[in-house]
Amino acid sequence: MEFFLFNYLCKKHFLISIPDIFTISSQKQFEKAALKVFRFQYENNLVYREFCNFLKTDVQKVKSLEQIPFLPIQFFKSHVVVSNTNPAQKTFTSSGTTGMSTSHHYVTDISLYEESYRKGFSQFYGNIEDYVVLALLPSYLEREGSSLIYMVEDLIQMTNNSESGFYLHNHDELIEKLTRLDNAGQNVILIGVTYALLDLIENRKFDLQNTIIMETGGMKGKRKEMIREELHEKLCQGFGVKAIHSEYGMTELLSQAYSLGNGVFECPSWMEILIRDTEDALTYVADGKTGGINVIDLANINSCSFISTQDLGKKNPNNSFEVLGRFDNSDIRGCNLMVI
Protein backbone atom coordinates (compact mmCIF):
# COMPACT_ATOMS: atom_id res chain seq x y z
CA MET A 1 0.00 0.00 0.00
CA GLU A 2 1.32 3.42 -0.92
CA PHE A 3 1.55 6.10 1.75
CA PHE A 4 1.73 9.75 0.88
CA LEU A 5 4.10 12.04 2.72
CA PHE A 6 3.68 15.18 0.69
CA ASN A 7 0.90 16.77 -1.30
CA TYR A 8 2.01 19.88 -3.13
CA LEU A 9 0.14 22.17 -5.46
CA CYS A 10 2.19 22.34 -8.62
CA LYS A 11 2.37 25.26 -10.99
CA LYS A 12 -0.09 23.66 -13.39
CA HIS A 13 -2.66 23.46 -10.56
CA PHE A 14 -2.69 19.71 -10.06
CA LEU A 15 -1.70 17.70 -7.05
CA ILE A 16 1.36 15.50 -7.21
CA SER A 17 1.72 12.75 -4.63
CA ILE A 18 5.14 11.64 -3.43
CA PRO A 19 5.35 8.26 -1.68
CA ASP A 20 6.73 7.99 1.84
CA ILE A 21 10.40 7.58 1.05
CA PHE A 22 11.25 6.26 4.51
CA THR A 23 9.21 3.08 3.90
CA ILE A 24 11.02 2.12 0.67
CA SER A 25 11.99 -1.57 0.79
CA SER A 26 12.91 -2.50 -2.79
CA GLN A 27 14.76 -1.17 -5.81
CA LYS A 28 11.49 -1.02 -7.74
CA GLN A 29 9.92 1.20 -5.08
CA PHE A 30 13.01 3.40 -5.03
CA GLU A 31 12.98 3.93 -8.80
CA LYS A 32 9.24 4.65 -8.83
CA ALA A 33 9.61 7.21 -6.05
CA ALA A 34 12.69 8.79 -7.67
CA LEU A 35 10.87 9.33 -10.96
CA LYS A 36 7.95 10.99 -9.12
CA VAL A 37 10.36 13.24 -7.23
CA PHE A 38 12.13 14.11 -10.47
CA ARG A 39 8.90 15.24 -12.13
CA PHE A 40 7.87 17.18 -9.04
CA GLN A 41 11.20 19.00 -8.85
CA TYR A 42 11.20 19.72 -12.58
CA GLU A 43 7.83 21.44 -12.15
CA ASN A 44 8.64 23.31 -8.94
CA ASN A 45 12.38 24.00 -8.86
CA LEU A 46 13.19 26.85 -11.24
CA VAL A 47 16.96 26.30 -11.15
CA TYR A 48 16.65 22.56 -11.76
CA ARG A 49 14.08 23.03 -14.52
CA GLU A 50 16.30 25.51 -16.37
CA PHE A 51 19.20 23.10 -16.05
CA CYS A 52 17.10 20.24 -17.46
CA ASN A 53 15.87 22.45 -20.28
CA PHE A 54 19.44 23.44 -21.09
CA LEU A 55 20.16 19.73 -21.54
CA LYS A 56 17.03 19.49 -23.74
CA THR A 57 15.54 16.90 -21.40
CA ASP A 58 12.19 15.50 -22.52
CA VAL A 59 10.58 14.90 -19.13
CA GLN A 60 8.02 12.46 -20.52
CA LYS A 61 10.78 10.24 -21.88
CA VAL A 62 12.63 9.95 -18.58
CA LYS A 63 11.83 6.39 -17.49
CA SER A 64 14.94 5.32 -15.56
CA LEU A 65 17.36 6.68 -12.97
CA GLU A 66 20.12 6.97 -15.56
CA GLN A 67 17.98 9.33 -17.68
CA ILE A 68 17.44 11.81 -14.82
CA PRO A 69 19.66 14.93 -15.07
CA PHE A 70 21.90 15.52 -12.05
CA LEU A 71 22.43 19.12 -10.97
CA PRO A 72 26.14 20.02 -10.48
CA ILE A 73 26.76 20.65 -6.81
CA GLN A 74 28.38 24.02 -7.62
CA PHE A 75 24.88 25.45 -8.21
CA PHE A 76 24.40 25.55 -4.44
CA LYS A 77 27.13 28.20 -4.33
CA SER A 78 25.50 30.54 -6.83
CA HIS A 79 21.75 29.81 -6.82
CA VAL A 80 18.87 29.31 -4.42
CA VAL A 81 18.00 25.66 -5.05
CA VAL A 82 14.50 25.09 -3.67
CA SER A 83 11.38 23.26 -4.84
CA ASN A 84 8.71 25.30 -3.09
CA THR A 85 8.00 28.85 -1.99
CA ASN A 86 8.02 28.19 1.75
CA PRO A 87 10.50 30.15 3.86
CA ALA A 88 13.66 28.39 4.96
CA GLN A 89 13.42 27.00 8.48
CA LYS A 90 17.18 26.45 8.49
CA THR A 91 20.03 27.42 6.18
CA PHE A 92 23.05 25.13 6.17
CA THR A 93 26.36 26.37 4.80
CA SER A 94 29.51 24.56 3.76
CA SER A 95 32.90 25.21 5.24
CA GLY A 96 35.53 27.01 3.19
CA THR A 97 38.81 28.84 3.46
CA THR A 98 39.03 32.62 3.21
CA GLY A 99 37.94 33.84 -0.20
CA MET A 100 36.28 30.54 -1.12
CA SER A 101 32.60 30.65 -1.99
CA THR A 102 30.36 28.45 0.16
CA SER A 103 27.26 26.41 -0.54
CA HIS A 104 23.90 27.35 0.92
CA HIS A 105 21.22 24.72 1.46
CA TYR A 106 17.86 26.30 2.25
CA VAL A 107 15.85 23.72 4.21
CA THR A 108 12.14 24.53 4.23
CA ASP A 109 11.12 21.50 6.31
CA ILE A 110 13.73 20.62 8.93
CA SER A 111 11.67 17.63 10.09
CA LEU A 112 12.67 15.80 6.90
CA TYR A 113 16.34 16.16 7.78
CA GLU A 114 15.67 15.00 11.32
CA GLU A 115 13.72 11.96 10.20
CA SER A 116 16.37 11.11 7.60
CA TYR A 117 19.39 11.10 9.92
CA ARG A 118 17.49 9.50 12.80
CA LYS A 119 16.22 6.63 10.67
CA GLY A 120 19.56 6.37 8.88
CA PHE A 121 21.46 6.08 12.14
CA SER A 122 18.99 3.49 13.42
CA GLN A 123 19.33 1.44 10.24
CA PHE A 124 23.09 1.08 10.71
CA TYR A 125 23.61 1.31 14.47
CA GLY A 126 20.35 0.49 16.19
CA ASN A 127 18.86 2.36 19.15
CA ILE A 128 20.68 5.65 19.85
CA GLU A 129 19.87 5.24 23.56
CA ASP A 130 22.28 2.29 23.68
CA TYR A 131 25.21 4.69 23.16
CA VAL A 132 27.04 7.61 24.65
CA VAL A 133 27.87 9.99 21.79
CA LEU A 134 31.03 12.07 22.12
CA ALA A 135 31.77 14.65 19.43
CA LEU A 136 35.20 16.08 18.61
CA LEU A 137 34.32 18.57 15.88
CA PRO A 138 36.20 21.80 16.64
CA SER A 139 36.27 23.26 13.13
CA TYR A 140 32.51 22.71 12.78
CA LEU A 141 31.67 24.11 16.21
CA GLU A 142 33.68 27.25 15.48
CA ARG A 143 31.43 28.35 12.62
CA GLU A 144 27.71 28.82 11.99
CA GLY A 145 25.43 26.77 9.76
CA SER A 146 26.91 23.27 9.97
CA SER A 147 24.41 20.52 9.12
CA LEU A 148 26.75 18.01 10.80
CA ILE A 149 26.61 19.90 14.10
CA TYR A 150 22.82 20.07 13.86
CA MET A 151 22.64 16.29 13.39
CA VAL A 152 25.17 15.37 16.07
CA GLU A 153 23.64 17.76 18.61
CA ASP A 154 20.28 16.09 18.14
CA LEU A 155 21.76 12.59 18.39
CA ILE A 156 23.50 13.61 21.61
CA GLN A 157 20.15 14.76 23.04
CA MET A 158 18.48 11.53 21.90
CA THR A 159 20.93 9.37 23.87
CA ASN A 160 19.29 10.68 27.07
CA ASN A 161 22.68 10.26 28.70
CA SER A 162 24.39 13.10 30.55
CA GLU A 163 27.80 11.68 29.58
CA SER A 164 27.19 12.54 25.90
CA GLY A 165 28.48 15.85 24.64
CA PHE A 166 30.75 18.02 22.47
CA TYR A 167 34.45 18.65 22.97
CA LEU A 168 36.43 21.50 21.48
CA HIS A 169 40.09 21.58 22.52
CA ASN A 170 39.70 20.09 26.02
CA HIS A 171 41.47 16.83 25.13
CA ASP A 172 42.37 15.86 28.68
CA GLU A 173 38.72 15.86 29.72
CA LEU A 174 37.75 13.83 26.65
CA ILE A 175 40.55 11.31 27.24
CA GLU A 176 39.43 10.78 30.83
CA LYS A 177 35.79 10.29 29.91
CA LEU A 178 36.45 8.08 26.90
CA THR A 179 38.76 5.81 28.90
CA ARG A 180 36.40 5.63 31.87
CA LEU A 181 33.29 4.84 29.83
CA ASP A 182 35.03 2.24 27.68
CA ASN A 183 36.51 0.50 30.73
CA ALA A 184 33.03 0.40 32.28
CA GLY A 185 31.67 -1.46 29.24
CA GLN A 186 29.60 1.47 27.97
CA ASN A 187 28.96 1.54 24.22
CA VAL A 188 30.45 4.79 22.92
CA ILE A 189 30.55 6.49 19.53
CA LEU A 190 33.28 9.09 19.14
CA ILE A 191 32.51 11.24 16.09
CA GLY A 192 35.45 13.36 15.05
CA VAL A 193 36.89 15.45 12.27
CA THR A 194 40.00 13.70 10.96
CA TYR A 195 42.71 16.09 12.10
CA ALA A 196 41.25 16.33 15.61
CA LEU A 197 41.22 12.54 15.99
CA LEU A 198 44.88 12.47 14.95
CA ASP A 199 45.64 15.21 17.49
CA LEU A 200 43.92 13.14 20.19
CA ILE A 201 45.96 9.97 19.64
CA GLU A 202 49.17 11.99 19.68
CA ASN A 203 48.30 12.92 23.27
CA ARG A 204 47.30 9.41 24.36
CA LYS A 205 47.33 5.86 23.01
CA PHE A 206 44.11 3.94 23.68
CA ASP A 207 43.01 0.31 23.88
CA LEU A 208 39.28 0.70 23.35
CA GLN A 209 37.00 -2.34 23.47
CA ASN A 210 33.52 -0.80 23.48
CA THR A 211 33.98 2.32 21.36
CA ILE A 212 33.23 3.08 17.71
CA ILE A 213 35.50 5.70 16.13
CA MET A 214 33.68 7.54 13.33
CA GLU A 215 35.66 10.02 11.24
CA THR A 216 33.84 12.65 9.25
CA GLY A 217 36.81 13.53 7.04
CA GLY A 218 38.62 16.78 6.55
CA MET A 219 42.07 18.00 7.47
CA LYS A 220 40.83 21.62 7.26
CA GLY A 221 44.32 22.72 6.28
CA LYS A 222 45.63 21.55 9.67
CA ARG A 223 47.53 18.55 8.35
CA LYS A 224 48.76 17.03 5.13
CA GLU A 225 46.12 14.95 3.36
CA MET A 226 46.54 11.18 3.71
CA ILE A 227 45.25 8.23 1.72
CA ARG A 228 42.42 6.43 3.48
CA GLU A 229 44.36 3.21 4.12
CA GLU A 230 47.20 5.08 5.80
CA LEU A 231 44.85 7.27 7.82
CA HIS A 232 42.68 4.41 9.06
CA GLU A 233 45.69 2.29 9.96
CA LYS A 234 47.07 5.13 12.06
CA LEU A 235 43.72 5.71 13.75
CA CYS A 236 43.23 1.99 14.43
CA GLN A 237 46.63 1.80 16.08
CA GLY A 238 46.10 4.95 18.09
CA PHE A 239 42.65 4.01 19.41
CA GLY A 240 43.28 0.27 19.64
CA VAL A 241 40.25 -0.58 17.48
CA LYS A 242 39.88 -3.01 14.59
CA ALA A 243 38.10 -0.68 12.15
CA ILE A 244 37.33 2.99 11.61
CA HIS A 245 33.79 3.95 10.72
CA SER A 246 33.03 6.88 8.41
CA GLU A 247 30.10 9.11 7.52
CA TYR A 248 29.52 10.37 3.97
CA GLY A 249 27.34 13.44 3.93
CA MET A 250 27.48 17.03 2.77
CA THR A 251 25.80 20.39 3.19
CA GLU A 252 23.73 19.96 0.04
CA LEU A 253 22.19 16.64 1.14
CA LEU A 254 19.73 15.60 3.86
CA SER A 255 20.90 11.97 4.08
CA GLN A 256 24.13 10.20 4.97
CA ALA A 257 25.84 6.98 3.96
CA TYR A 258 27.90 5.08 6.51
CA SER A 259 30.98 2.90 6.38
CA LEU A 260 31.40 0.33 9.14
CA GLY A 261 35.02 -0.20 8.09
CA ASN A 262 37.42 -0.52 5.14
CA GLY A 263 36.05 2.62 3.50
CA VAL A 264 33.03 0.80 2.03
CA PHE A 265 29.86 2.90 2.35
CA GLU A 266 26.24 1.82 2.32
CA CYS A 267 23.22 4.06 1.80
CA PRO A 268 19.90 4.07 3.62
CA SER A 269 17.02 2.80 1.52
CA TRP A 270 16.01 6.29 0.30
CA MET A 271 19.49 7.19 -0.99
CA GLU A 272 21.48 5.78 -3.92
CA ILE A 273 24.78 6.39 -5.72
CA LEU A 274 25.44 6.34 -9.46
CA ILE A 275 28.94 6.60 -10.96
CA ARG A 276 29.25 8.82 -14.02
CA ASP A 277 31.96 8.78 -16.66
CA THR A 278 34.64 11.40 -15.92
CA GLU A 279 34.80 12.35 -19.62
CA ASP A 280 31.05 12.35 -20.31
CA ALA A 281 28.86 13.42 -17.41
CA LEU A 282 25.71 12.05 -19.07
CA THR A 283 26.89 8.44 -19.23
CA TYR A 284 27.65 5.91 -16.50
CA VAL A 285 30.43 3.41 -15.90
CA ALA A 286 30.19 -0.23 -14.88
CA ASP A 287 30.49 -1.43 -11.28
CA GLY A 288 34.07 -1.43 -10.10
CA LYS A 289 35.11 1.41 -12.42
CA THR A 290 36.17 4.82 -11.12
CA GLY A 291 34.06 7.85 -11.97
CA GLY A 292 32.24 10.85 -10.56
CA ILE A 293 29.73 10.27 -7.77
CA ASN A 294 26.11 11.21 -8.44
CA VAL A 295 23.80 11.11 -5.42
CA ILE A 296 20.07 10.50 -5.31
CA ASP A 297 18.75 11.72 -1.95
CA LEU A 298 14.97 11.43 -1.88
CA ALA A 299 14.81 13.18 1.50
CA ASN A 300 15.91 16.32 -0.33
CA ILE A 301 12.45 16.71 -1.86
CA ASN A 302 12.25 20.45 -1.11
CA SER A 303 15.60 21.22 -2.72
CA CYS A 304 17.15 18.92 -5.36
CA SER A 305 17.36 15.16 -4.94
CA PHE A 306 19.69 14.58 -7.88
CA ILE A 307 23.17 16.01 -7.32
CA SER A 308 26.37 15.58 -9.30
CA THR A 309 29.20 15.82 -6.76
CA GLN A 310 32.88 16.59 -7.24
CA ASP A 311 33.87 13.32 -5.59
CA LEU A 312 35.47 10.37 -7.32
CA GLY A 313 34.43 6.86 -6.40
CA LYS A 314 33.40 3.43 -7.52
CA LYS A 315 30.30 1.33 -6.93
CA ASN A 316 30.22 -2.34 -6.01
CA PRO A 317 27.72 -4.90 -7.34
CA ASN A 318 25.86 -4.91 -4.00
CA ASN A 319 25.26 -1.11 -4.28
CA SER A 320 27.90 -0.24 -1.68
CA PHE A 321 30.47 2.31 -2.81
CA GLU A 322 33.89 3.76 -2.07
CA VAL A 323 35.06 7.37 -2.11
CA LEU A 324 38.43 7.62 -3.85
CA GLY A 325 39.12 11.35 -3.95
CA ARG A 326 38.09 14.51 -5.78
CA PHE A 327 38.35 15.95 -9.22
CA ASP A 328 41.64 17.84 -9.50
CA ASN A 329 40.03 21.25 -10.10
CA SER A 330 37.57 20.97 -7.21
CA ASP A 331 37.48 23.16 -4.13
CA ILE A 332 38.72 21.43 -1.00
CA ARG A 333 35.95 21.23 1.58
CA GLY A 334 35.33 19.09 4.57
CA CYS A 335 33.10 16.14 4.15
CA ASN A 336 34.89 12.85 4.17
CA LEU A 337 37.18 13.48 1.28
CA MET A 338 40.63 12.00 1.03
CA VAL A 339 42.82 12.02 -2.04
CA ILE A 340 44.79 9.08 -3.39
Side-chain angles (χ1 to χ4, degrees), residues 12-13 59 66-68 124 143 152 157 180-181 201 228 232 241 247 258 261-262 270 305:
K12 294 184 178 180
H13 305 292
V59 176
E66 291 78 9
Q67 293 174 314
I68 295 174
F124 290 100
R143 69 175 184 85
V152 174
Q157 294 296 321
R180 173 170 52 82
L181 292 173
I201 59 175
R228 178 187 57 78
H232 283 201
V241 297
E247 177 258 354
Y258 289 98
N262 301 317
W270 55 91
S305 292

Side-chain angles (χ1 to χ4, degrees), residues 49-307:
R49 182 167 71 250
E50 289 184 348
F51 175 72
C52 291
N53 290 342
F54 177 79
L55 295 178
K56 295 181 169 48
T57 304
D58 187 337
V59 176
Q60 300 307 314
K61 292 183 179 180
V62 174
K63 305 294 184 182
S64 68
L65 301 183
E66 291 78 9
Q67 293 174 314
I68 295 174
F70 283 75
L71 186 73
I73 201 166
Q74 298 95 314
F75 275 69
F76 284 82
K77 294 183 177 182
S78 55
H79 296 76
V80 178
V81 184
V82 293
S83 293
N84 59 41
T85 58
N86 298 332
Q89 295 179 353
K90 194 76 176 178
T91 300
F92 293 126
T93 58
S94 63
S95 58
T97 58
T98 303
M100 181 186 295
S101 58
T102 58
S103 292
H104 288 72
H105 188 182
Y106 301 94
V107 181
T108 59
D109 185 355
I110 196 64
S111 69
L112 283 176
Y113 182 43
E114 293 170 347
E115 186 165 10
S116 178
Y117 65 66
R118 289 171 182 173
K119 287 188 181 310
F121 180 92
S122 177
Q123 181 174 326
F124 290 100
Y125 293 99
N127 188 349
I128 185 65
E129 293 187 359
D130 292 338
Y131 298 92
V132 166
V133 173
L134 305 177
L136 184 60
L137 301 165
S139 50
Y140 293 93
L141 280 173
E142 292 168 337
R143 69 175 184 85
E144 296 290 330
S146 168
S147 58
L148 178 62
I149 292 297
Y150 188 95
M151 177 182 77
V152 174
E153 186 172 32
D154 187 50
L155 292 177
I156 286 173
Q157 294 296 321
M158 290 179 64
T159 65
N160 291 319
N161 193 312
S162 61
E163 299 279 17
S164 296
F166 283 99
Y167 290 82
L168 194 57
H169 302 295
N170 45 337
H171 286 181
D172 290 342
E173 183 181 345
L174 174 58
I175 289 169
E176 184 280 325
K177 178 174 285 191
L178 185 57
T179 303
R180 173 170 52 82
L181 292 173
D182 190 85
N183 288 340
Q186 171 67 55
N187 293 325
V188 178
I189 297 180
L190 173 60
I191 303 176
V193 64
T194 303
Y195 78 84
L197 292 175
L198 290 170
D199 289 346
L200 189 64
I201 59 175
E202 287 183 354
N203 290 333
R204 167 73 179 271
K205 299 299 180 186
F206 297 86
D207 183 20
L208 302 175
Q209 304 298 316
N210 301 291
T211 299
I212 293 170
I213 305 298
M214 182 185 296
E215 56 93 6
T216 66
M219 292 298 189
K220 303 291 186 184
K222 306 285 187 179
R223 288 173 175 262
K224 182 180 178 181
E225 294 289 338
M226 303 168 65
I227 63 172
R228 178 187 57 78
E229 290 82 0
E230 178 187 3
L231 170 65
H232 283 201
E233 181 180 1
K234 190 168 185 177
L235 291 175
C236 281
Q237 291 176 353
F239 286 105
V241 297
K242 294 180 179 179
I244 300 299
H245 293 218
S246 303
E247 177 258 354
Y248 181 80
M250 55 192 70
T251 300
E252 300 83 357
L253 300 178
L254 292 185
S255 300
Q256 302 79 30
Y258 289 98
S259 168
L260 306 188
N262 301 317
V264 178
F265 290 89
E266 294 186 24
C267 296
S269 58
W270 55 91
M271 178 182 180
E272 189 166 320
I273 300 295
L274 300 178
I275 306 296
R276 68 183 185 272
D277 192 303
T278 56
E279 301 297 326
D280 182 357
L282 300 181
T283 62
Y284 294 91
V285 301
D287 290 345
K289 300 292 185 180
T290 299
I293 294 179
N294 285 0
V295 179
I296 301 175
D297 176 13
L298 298 184
N300 220 10
I301 176 70
N302 292 318
S303 178
C304 184
S305 292
F306 311 96
I307 296 177

Side-chain angles (χ1 to χ4, degrees), residues 12-43:
K12 294 184 178 180
H13 305 292
F14 62 87
L15 286 173
I16 181 169
S17 297
I18 305 299
D20 183 353
I21 60 167
F22 300 117
T23 64
I24 289 173
S25 59
S26 69
Q27 183 63 24
K28 183 176 180 180
Q29 286 182 344
F30 182 89
E31 292 180 3
K32 183 178 180 181
L35 290 170
K36 284 190 174 184
V37 170
F38 159 66
R39 293 187 175 92
F40 166 74
Q41 291 183 341
Y42 178 83
E43 289 290 340

